[in-house]
């Protein structure tokens, strides 16, 4: 079976650089907050053009620390989408706040901007759009809604979209705060857990830096309630090695996504791509009926698939009692039964991609 995401081939292409970077950390021995941490942050600030990058231990921790830095407290509300990974709601609930779900667009699967304003109350403190499958949502419109209603922060959950461009600007630098993940399967991944927070606000950045090291303003002086949220030096070193190839990988992902779009036109419905932004195609996702049967046929043909995500968050047992649903969520519920992701990674060759498409055509044939 071909790999769903081919991390081994990527490693072979970068093996000397990765080994050299790891070896350097092992030699200096600064495994926590070593020099590679700030070096990576500086590189990512340059890449996104955000003023501040704060590395953290995971994408989930990036969201949690961001909410803490904004002062989110019990009873506050955060508007988000139910069609995402559980971390988006998890961090809200952990702080005693309430996830408020609004439905998604049927074509992009991103949060439906037209539904956000009706969900705003006096308790709304943040809006958290998710750049699903690698494509940013309608960030300008979301920022405008937040501005109209006073002091509402916008946090882009960009775990899947680092490297994408929205109207000439980089994902993670589109709102009050941007958060991303360096989980190995992400567009820019390390070899464990890792993540980053981006902001142009000095006060938010300072709060995030202190919260990630147990709320310390200086050693053993705890001015805030914090967490152990540091990204370790070796993982930062791996990201630094991968950054040298990242622009090439972005180009490859764009080409692969465009080729999938072309090859699958008229075969299956695909997630729509807006003209004013790019997608990192963290997952290449199609919509199919009788998904279970299609997946079985593809597995038999040696083609792995994945479902992101089969159960919307408002239907997850652990979260039913903690959320508020605004309006109808029928699109999210329908998409959960139809979405299916195909193999994609920067080193996917055209012959293998054609084989995937041929197998999908056969599997969906009536």
């Amino acid at each position: 079976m071909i790999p769903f995401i081919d991390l081994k081939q990527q490693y072979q292409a970068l093996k000397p650089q990765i080994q050299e970077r790891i070896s350097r950390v092992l030699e200096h021995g600064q495994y926590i907050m070593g020099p590679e941490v700030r070096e990576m942050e500086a590189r990512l600030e340059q890449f996104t053009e955000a003023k501040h990058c704060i590395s953290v231990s995971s994408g989930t921790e990036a969201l949690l620390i961001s909410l803490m830095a904004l002062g989110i407290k019990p009873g506050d509300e955060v508007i988000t989408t139910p069609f995402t990974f559980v971390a988006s709601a998890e961090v809200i609930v952990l702080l005693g706040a309430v996830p408020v779900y609004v439905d998604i667009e049927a074509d992009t699967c991103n949060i439906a901007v037209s539904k956000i304003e009706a969900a705003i109350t006096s308790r709304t403190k943040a809006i958290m759009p998710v750049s699903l499958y690698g494509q940013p949502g309608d960030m300008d419109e979301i920022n405008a809604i937040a501005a109209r209603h006073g002091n509402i922060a916008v946090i882009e959950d960009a775990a899947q979209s680092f490297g994408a461009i929205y109207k000439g600007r980089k994902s993670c630098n589109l709102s009050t705060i941007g958060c991303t993940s360096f989980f190995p399967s992400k567009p820019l991944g390390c070899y464990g857990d890792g993540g980053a927070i981006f902001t142009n606000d000095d006060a938010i950045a300072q709060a995030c830096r202190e919260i990630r090291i147990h709320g310390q303003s200086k050693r053993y002086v705890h001015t805030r309630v914090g967490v152990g949220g540091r990204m370790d030096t070796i993982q930062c070193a791996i990201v630094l090695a991968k950054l040298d190839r990242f622009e090439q990988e972005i180009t490859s992902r764009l080409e692969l996504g465009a080729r999938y779009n072309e090859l699958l036109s008229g075969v299956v419905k695909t997630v729509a791509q807006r003209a004013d932004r790019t997608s990192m195609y963290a997952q290449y996702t199609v919509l199919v009926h009788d998904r279970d049967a299609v997946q079985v046929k593809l597995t038999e043909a040696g083609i792995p698939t994945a479902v992101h995500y089969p159960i919307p968050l408002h239907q997850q047992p652990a979260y039913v009692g903690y959320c508020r649903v605004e309006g109808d969520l029928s699109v999210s519920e329908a998409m959960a039964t139809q979405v299916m992701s195909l193999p994609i990674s920067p080193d996917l060759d055209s012959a293998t991609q054609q084989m995937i498409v041929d197998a999908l055509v056969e599997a969906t044939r009536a």
Side-chain angles (χ1 to χ4, degrees), residues 336-356:
T337 68
Q338 298 176 44
V339 293
M340 183 184 74
S341 297
L342 302 175
I344 190 167
S345 48
D347 297 297
L348 182 67
D349 62 77
S350 58
T352 303
Q353 188 177 24
Q354 184 67 58
M355 181 177 73
I356 294 165

Side-chain angles (χ1 to χ4, degrees), residues 258-270 284 357:
R259 189 161 187 266
Y260 261 138
N261 290 341
E262 180 182 354
L263 292 171
L264 292 173
S265 178
V267 176
V268 293
K269 186 178 179 182
T270 63
Y284 186 87
V357 170

